[in-house]
Amino acid sequence: MELAYYSDYAVRLVNTEEPGRNKDSLTTVDCIRELFGPSAQAARRATDADVTRFRSVRARLRAVFEAADGGDETLAVDLLNSLLLEFPVNPQISGHDTRDEDGKPDWHMHLADHPSNATAGFAAIAAMGLAFHLTTHGVDRLGLCEAAPCRNAYLDTSTNRSRRYCSDRCATRANVAAYRARKRLEADRSGETRRTAETAQPSSPNTDR
C-alpha cells in the first residue's frame, strides 16, 4: 500500500463534522469502524471511549488544515508534528498476496495496526499520511472548501494547484451562487442608471394660456 493512500484517513475523519451546518456524524463505534474500512484490525478494537478520543484527534487534524488554508505553513507543520510525536507509526514491509511478473512478492511499505487502541492506530495512520502528502506536494495542497457553509477538508492533487472546493457538487453550487450574485448586481446597477437618467431629465415647462 502506498503511503500516499493514508492521507485520505485524515480527510475522512475531519469531514465527519460540518461545523457550519452544526452536523456531526461521528457518534457511534460503528461510525469509527466505517472510517477504518472492513479490513483493519484496529477497527475491531474500537469502543465507546474511542468516540470522544476520535473527536479530539479530529479537532487537531482540522486545525492543521485551517492553518494550511490560512497560509500559516509553520503552524500547520508544528501541529502535525505534535500528532506524529504523540501517535508514532509502526512501519512494516509487506507483500500481502500480490506478485510481480516474476512471481515474487510486490514488496511495499505498510503502516501496521497500532497495538494500543483504535484511536491511536487511526491517528498514527492519518498523521503519517498527511505528513507524507504535505512534504511531497506542499502545505498549500491542504485546503478547506470555499463553498460556505461547507468547509470540508480536501487534498489538492490538481496539476496547477487550482482546487478550491471539496467536491464537484460544492464547486457547482458556488458557481451558481456567484452567477446569481452577478446577475443581481447587474440588475441593481441597471436600475440605478435608469433612475439617475430619469432624475436628470428636465421637466416640461408650464405653458401659460
Side-chain angles (χ1 to χ4, degrees), residues 122-204:
F122 193 96
I125 291 172
M128 185 62 197
L130 198 57
F132 180 82
H133 189 92
L134 184 152
T135 54
T136 302
H137 303 290
V139 179
D140 58 341
R141 292 290 188 149
L142 279 59
L144 293 173
C145 186
E146 293 185 12
C150 179
R151 302 302 283 168
N152 272 351
Y154 65 82
L155 300 172
D156 186 359
T157 56
S158 64
T159 56
N160 57 355
R161 300 174 184 265
S162 61
R163 185 170 179 179
R164 297 166 55 201
Y165 305 103
C166 68
S167 64
D168 290 339
R169 180 182 178 183
C170 277
T172 299
R173 190 173 73 247
N175 289 335
V176 170
Y179 173 79
R180 290 174 176 171
R182 288 196 301 271
K183 286 299 182 181
R184 285 194 298 269
L185 181 60
E186 290 172 2
D188 291 343
R189 287 175 175 172
S190 177
E192 290 176 1
T193 301
R194 184 170 58 254
R195 286 191 295 271
T196 300
E198 291 173 352
T199 302
Q201 287 179 358
S203 57
S204 300

Side-chain angles (χ1 to χ4, degrees), residues 91-102:
Q92 288 184 341
I93 299 174
S94 175
H96 295 300
D97 297 324
T98 59
R99 302 283 172 171
D100 61 18
E101 295 179 353
D102 298 324

Side-chain angles (χ1 to χ4, degrees), residues 64 66-81 134 138-141 161:
V64 175
E66 289 175 343
D69 189 67
D72 195 336
E73 295 191 8
T74 300
L75 178 58
V77 170
D78 287 345
L79 292 171
L80 190 50
N81 272 335
L134 184 152
V139 179
D140 58 341
R141 292 290 188 149
R161 300 174 184 265

Side-chain angles (χ1 to χ4, degrees), residues 17-24:
E17 182 184 30
E18 297 181 72
R21 296 188 175 99
N22 197 28
K23 292 183 179 181
D24 188 345

